Amino acid sequence: MRSECVGIINLDDRKDVTMNQLTNVRPIGSLPIAGRYRVIDFSLSNMVNSGINNVGIFAKEKYRSLTDHIGSGKEWDLSRKTGGLFIFSPENTKDRNKYPYRSGDIYNILANIDYIEKCEEEYILIAPSYMVANIDYTKLIEYHKESDNDITILYKNIDNADSDFLETSTLNIEGDKVVNIGTNLGTLKNANVSMETYIMKRTDFINAIYKCVSEGTHSYIEDFIAESVNKLKIGAYEYKGYLKCINSIKSYYSMKDELLQEDIAEELLYSDRKIFTKEQNQSPTVYSDSANVENSFVATGCVIEGTVKNSIIFRKVHVKEGAVIENSIVMQNCIVERDAQLENVIFDKNVYISEGKKLSGDIEYPVVIGKNTTI
């Protein structure tokens, strides 16, 4: 049965999140996470698990790795004759070329707005790719339908706003109505952070895009909504589960420790709402007699002969005898030679660490090594 809601995953973040070597070659949505997933897997899976089977991903740039990861969308059951998965680029489209000097998600969506116009669903749900959570959107959709809201925003009340979710939008709420939208500057501990997930009628969304472009008032959906709080009825729906905002090296690295907590891993990865990802059939990981693994997440296809503590090890990593990895994230296809000592590091894919090498970062500021690097 076709859903009454079309899903949009918006990869054009106005905050222009950059994570140095990790996002130089990929959008943040295709950043590897949790040993075997990509960040976008969570937004995609949340939509599919909520019955949304028509999903458009509006990319901005550097999305080759994203298309390679998602493919036809069959792992998410989105390879369909009707609806399914679509990836859009603003590049070289007629509407985008009319505004070569304008940037922002409104103009990126305008470039392929015919997709949204042809959809038959009554509602549209827009979500970012860099908020990691396991969410049942059906409750949000039902709440919005039963309310008289023009727009409903998903939010979470947090008590660590002074150290996390920096630069994200915050909501000033009276009852369940949004009366203002601000920015988390990290000066307060408590805040209602916007999850940048919005639901509204599809036709209202299309009209808003055309209005913003025609009047030249806004380049970002977020700005349009913020400016409309006194003109439209904008409601707020609270999400109470685990949420991580991946918008910096520090936040990406700190998620490692959270994933190693059993209750968070259970909620995020092993609940009834499965998180889907690209299948890569691998042999089981081999642990030699010299292996010593403590409080770590080790994916399939690895060979572990050394010591791994408080770390996340992705697929097909080889840790040779005598090597020690602590408090680190090591992505796919890395090789750590004998007697190497690594602490507080993040390795992108295909990194080679030679015998006896020592690398140590700060627990707040880890050493980050880019893809295809030999040290």
Side-chain angles (χ1 to χ4, degrees):
M1 185 176 70
R2 189 157 188 169
S3 169
E4 56 191 336
C5 188
V6 58
I8 297 294
I9 299 178
N10 181 13
L11 301 190
D12 187 356
D13 170 45
R14 66 168 306 173
K15 300 166 191 70
D16 196 22
V17 174
T18 56
M19 295 170 60
N20 301 323
Q21 297 99 321
L22 299 184
T23 54
N24 284 342
V25 296
R26 58 168 78 94
I28 199 163
S30 61
L31 184 65
I33 194 170
R36 62 190 295 260
Y37 302 92
R38 304 295 180 106
V39 172
I40 200 170
D41 290 342
F42 293 86
S43 297
L44 261 180
S45 299
N46 289 336
M47 289 188 177
V48 171
N49 290 334
S50 303
I52 299 174
N53 50 34
N54 185 10
V55 179
I57 298 175
F58 282 73
K60 182 181 178 182
E61 57 186 1
K62 300 179 295 184
Y63 57 94
R64 184 191 59 79
S65 65
L66 193 70
T67 56
D68 177 64
H69 175 68
I70 293 174
S72 65
K74 66 177 182 179
E75 277 85 0
W76 296 266
D77 194 25
L78 288 174
S79 180
R80 295 165 173 256
K81 290 182 178 178
T82 303
L85 179 66
F86 304 88
I87 301 177
F88 299 103
S89 161
E91 297 170 355
N92 298 320
T93 57
K94 179 181 175 183
D95 282 330
R96 189 69 187 91
N97 290 338
K98 288 180 182 177
Y99 308 95
Y101 303 109
R102 293 293 186 105
S103 61
D105 54 10
I106 283 177
Y107 288 90
N108 284 347
I109 289 171
L110 176 71
N112 292 286
I113 200 167
D114 55 321
Y115 160 70
I116 301 174
E117 290 177 325
K118 291 176 182 175
C119 291
E120 297 178 356
E121 291 84 352
E122 182 174 1
Y123 299 96
I124 187 167
L125 187 147
I126 304 129
S129 68
Y130 68 98
M131 294 276 187
V132 176
N134 191 330
I135 305 171
D136 183 358
Y137 286 137
T138 58
K139 296 177 182 176
L140 168 66
I141 295 169
E142 287 304 312
Y143 167 82
H144 179 76
K145 287 167 57 182
E146 292 172 2
S147 73
D148 195 27
N149 294 336
D150 295 303
I151 302 170
T152 299
I153 305 176
L154 190 63
Y155 78 97
K156 181 176 174 61
N157 181 268
I158 61 171
D159 59 6
N160 61 341
D162 54 342
S163 60
D164 212 342
F165 297 90
L166 301 178
E167 301 297 326
T168 58
S169 295
T170 57
L171 307 183
N172 186 359
I173 301 169
E174 291 182 0
D176 61 354
K177 187 177 186 305
V178 177
V179 296
N180 222 328
I181 297 178
T183 302
N184 177 25
L185 300 178
T187 54
L188 301 172
K189 287 185 70 67
N190 290 90
N192 295 318
V193 293
S194 167
M195 295 172 65
E196 298 180 24
T197 299
Y198 316 108
I199 181 169
M200 65 185 83
K201 286 194 172 181
R202 180 178 57 84
T203 51
D204 289 345
F205 180 73
I206 293 170
N207 292 335
I209 296 293
Y210 281 131
K211 184 176 188 294
C212 289
V213 174
S214 298
E215 298 178 355
T217 49
H218 305 294
S219 295
Y220 288 92
I221 298 167
E222 186 179 34
D223 288 342
F224 162 75
I225 293 175
E227 191 266 341
S228 300
V229 292
N230 295 319
K231 302 173 184 175
L232 301 175
K233 185 176 180 184
I234 300 178
Y237 184 85
E238 185 175 8
Y239 168 71
K240 295 184 177 180
Y242 173 79
L243 174 68
K244 189 66 177 181
C245 173
I246 306 295
N247 62 354
S248 66
I249 291 287
K250 187 175 181 179
S251 62
Y252 177 76
Y253 182 63
S254 67
M255 189 177 176
K256 167 184 67 65
D257 293 329
E258 296 167 20
L259 281 171
L260 293 176
Q261 296 176 34
E262 188 174 342
D263 56 336
I264 291 177
E266 187 70 28
E267 176 188 336
L268 194 62
L269 305 175
Y270 307 119
S271 77
D272 293 338
R273 297 188 300 274
K274 184 178 179 182
I275 301 301
F276 302 97
T277 190
K278 181 180 179 180
E279 289 294 336
Q280 295 186 31
N281 295 324
Q282 301 283 342
S283 59
T285 287
V286 175
Y287 298 90
S288 74
D289 291 341
S290 58
N292 176 21
V293 179
E294 298 179 17
N295 190 37
S296 296
F297 191 111
V298 180
T300 56
C302 295
V303 177
I304 307 296
E305 301 170 303
T307 297
V308 178
K309 295 181 180 178
N310 304 318
S311 298
I312 292 181
I313 309 297
F314 285 69
R315 293 172 168 129
K316 297 173 67 176
V317 170
H318 192 169
V319 182
K320 297 192 177 180
E321 188 171 350
V324 177
I325 301 176
E326 292 188 71
N327 303 317
S328 298
I329 299 171
V330 181
M331 296 186 197
Q332 192 168 326
N333 290 322
C334 290
I335 297 175
V336 180
E337 288 287 357
R338 296 169 64 93
D339 300 324
Q341 308 286 311
L342 309 174
E343 184 175 13
N344 302 327
V345 302
I346 300 174
F347 289 171
D348 205 333
K349 297 165 67 174
N350 305 319
V351 169
Y352 177 84
I353 301 297
S354 55
E355 185 172 337
K357 188 66 68 178
K358 294 183 179 179
L359 290 174
S360 180
D362 184 83
I363 196 165
E364 294 284 333
Y365 298 96
V367 171
V368 180
I369 305 298
K371 191 176 178 180
N372 302 323
T373 301
T374 295
I375 297 178

